[in-house]
Amino acid sequence: MIDWNVATSTAIRWVRPGPQVSLSEARRVVAELRGQALAVAEPVREVTGLPGDDDGGQVTIVDRPGWIRANISGFQVVLDPLVDHMREIGAAPSPGSVLTAVGARVTGMQAGLILSYLASRVLGQYELFLPPDPDRPAQDAPLGRLTLVAPNILMVERELGVNPSDFRRWVCLHEETHRTQFTSVPWLRPYVQEQMTEFLLASDLDPASILSRIRSAADAVSGAMRGGEGESLIEAIQTPRQREILDRLTAVMTLVEGHGDYVMDAVGPTVVPSVAEIRAKFNARRSGGNRGEQVIRRILGIDLKMRQYQQGQAFVRAVVDDAGMETFNLVWTSPQTLPTKEELLSPVRWLERVSARAIERRAQDGQANGEGPAEVTG
């Protein structure tokens, strides 16, 4: 379905070079980022109340081509088994056909161009889906890997004119929060992967439906170029079933991204002395850009992701301010305690639902242990 070699070569060919630095400066930046990533683990655990992973996890510092290769490896882990499944049920063309080969190359070029754009903007990420390591048994394989894109961090800190060490620590806090989330909550990674798989399997291969979605995609691109607030390209090409699944996936990603942003700021000036200045300048940069940049962001759904950061952070702050971090951490109990898309905009509704669920669960546990019905006051 996708020629990964074409995707890789296209992305690396078109990605813009990073800021020019000497070899000694590059080594200093890499060493500091690696140290900062390890140093922020304890502050993140203290703020979140989550146990995290005692071994500190993997930390990888990459350049832009390295980020591209890492993400394509992750895509393969998720998509290749899915392609095999589609072939088994007869939903994909024969791998040896000319149509498949041409389509895979075209799709590979499209994916590569998108990755080349993103590779110059992503500061870091927690990679959930890693290819198997032939030198390690499956049971010892890491859950994920914290990855930082050094040239992008260097570029943004220069553009913003902020304290470099503070900015690097601030970025590390966000990604370390993601590592802590996924290593502390065993069901979270499989849940995200399950939703992604369901989303992809829900693709409608009916020609009439495909034509309708192509028209919707064209409308989305046209609307973005006119400066409208319509759908992104990703939203426009979904089937009704995919929209339902994406609502769940969007809700959980809004939560984890907003939680990451909340922790970045909640650690306070003792950890990042210039946090207020960094946040103000970074938010202004997020919403800026020339007209062409704004069009690309809208088409690719990047503006939607920016709204996720804002909504998620507002949700976390509202719940923590109202009920405390311990109550907020009920969100990690199970997929059923995740906020819905509607509850993200109304934290009180989530609190009412999950608090009632917690009271009912405590009552059931008490009866299972031979205790009487739990008394509920207030």
Side-chain angles (χ1 to χ4, degrees):
M1 302 293 280
I2 300 176
D3 188 321
W4 298 113
N5 291 328
V6 169
T8 303
S9 61
T10 301
I12 292 175
R13 183 184 308 118
W14 286 97
V15 71
R16 287 185 282 181
Q20 296 298 309
V21 297
S22 66
L23 180 59
S24 60
E25 183 179 2
R27 286 173 174 167
R28 284 196 299 272
V29 171
V30 169
E32 181 175 4
L33 285 172
R34 196 178 301 279
Q36 296 278 26
L38 296 174
V40 299
E42 184 57 33
V44 167
R45 286 196 291 264
E46 289 176 358
V47 169
T48 63
L50 298 174
D53 190 353
D54 290 337
D55 69 2
Q58 293 190 76
V59 178
T60 303
I61 315 298
V62 297
D63 58 9
R64 290 171 177 176
W67 181 86
I68 289 167
R69 294 188 184 96
N71 275 266
I72 286 178
S73 295
F75 292 157
Q76 288 178 278
V77 169
V78 174
L79 294 178
D80 282 355
L82 189 62
V83 172
D84 292 340
H85 175 70
M86 292 177 69
R87 289 192 181 119
E88 288 175 4
I89 63 175
S94 169
S97 70
V98 174
L99 177 63
T100 301
V102 173
R105 288 183 62 83
V106 171
T107 309
M109 290 179 65
Q110 292 169 337
L113 290 171
I114 293 172
L115 285 169
S116 70
Y117 173 81
L118 296 175
S120 62
R121 286 156 178 79
V122 174
L123 301 182
Q125 68 185 79
Y126 183 68
E127 296 179 64
L128 281 178
F129 308 112
L130 302 177
D133 186 344
D135 298 325
R136 300 180 66 167
Q139 64 270 21
D140 295 334
L143 291 177
R145 177 173 60 205
L146 192 158
T147 298
L148 300 168
V149 189
N152 294 350
I153 294 172
L154 191 61
M155 178 187 72
V156 173
E157 69 189 33
R158 288 178 176 179
E159 288 180 3
L160 298 181
V162 294
N163 179 283
S165 291
D166 279 8
F167 184 74
R168 294 166 194 176
R169 191 178 304 121
W170 189 69
V171 172
C172 290
L173 280 165
H174 185 97
E175 304 312 329
E176 174 59 28
T177 301
H178 290 331
R179 194 188 72 82
T180 300
Q181 292 162 347
F182 284 96
T183 56
S184 300
V185 184
W187 57 263
L188 187 56
R189 179 180 180 276
Y191 175 78
V192 170
Q193 186 167 15
E194 176 188 341
Q195 298 305 308
M196 291 173 65
T197 300
E198 283 190 30
F199 178 83
L200 294 167
L201 283 173
S203 178
D204 191 343
L205 299 178
D206 175 69
S209 298
I210 291 174
L211 179 60
S212 173
R213 281 183 280 143
I214 288 173
R215 289 172 179 160
S216 297
D219 290 342
V221 173
S222 176
M225 296 185 70
R226 292 194 305 268
E229 293 296 329
E231 294 179 312
S232 69
L233 186 60
I234 296 171
E235 293 171 304
I237 62 175
Q238 294 161 14
T239 67
R241 171 64 176 153
Q242 284 179 313
R243 288 178 181 271
E244 176 188 336
I245 298 166
L246 191 67
D247 279 349
R248 295 197 296 269
L249 191 55
T250 299
V252 69
M253 297 315 296
T254 298
L255 174 72
V256 299
E257 293 292 1
H259 188 230
D261 261 19
Y262 174 87
V263 173
M264 288 170 84
D265 298 339
V267 292
T270 56
V271 178
V272 183
S274 58
V275 62
E277 177 193 2
I278 290 173
R279 169 59 72 191
K281 289 184 175 181
F282 192 75
N283 283 348
R285 183 182 185 274
R286 271 181 176 174
S287 59
N290 58 38
R291 177 66 185 277
E293 179 84 6
Q294 292 171 2
V295 168
I296 293 172
R297 288 204 313 246
R298 197 171 292 120
I299 290 173
L300 295 181
I302 295 173
D303 282 353
L304 175 64
K305 188 174 179 64
M306 295 304 101
R307 291 197 295 272
Q308 287 179 19
Y309 283 104
Q310 295 164 2
Q311 289 179 3
Q313 186 179 17
F315 173 84
V316 176
R317 184 184 295 111
V319 173
V320 173
D321 288 350
D322 188 22
M325 184 61 76
E326 185 177 352
T327 297
F328 167 78
N329 281 341
L330 291 172
V331 79
W332 310 117
T333 304
S334 72
Q336 287 70 44
T337 55
L338 290 170
T340 64
K341 187 177 179 180
E342 293 73 26
E343 287 171 341
L344 283 166
L345 299 175
S346 179
V348 171
R349 290 173 60 183
W350 178 84
L351 274 169
E352 290 172 348
R353 176 174 68 84
V354 173
S355 295
R357 184 182 179 89
I359 291 171
E360 179 183 359
R361 189 169 181 176
R362 283 196 295 269
Q364 291 173 348
D365 290 345
Q367 291 173 3
N369 292 329
E371 302 171 5
E375 181 180 357
V376 180
T377 60

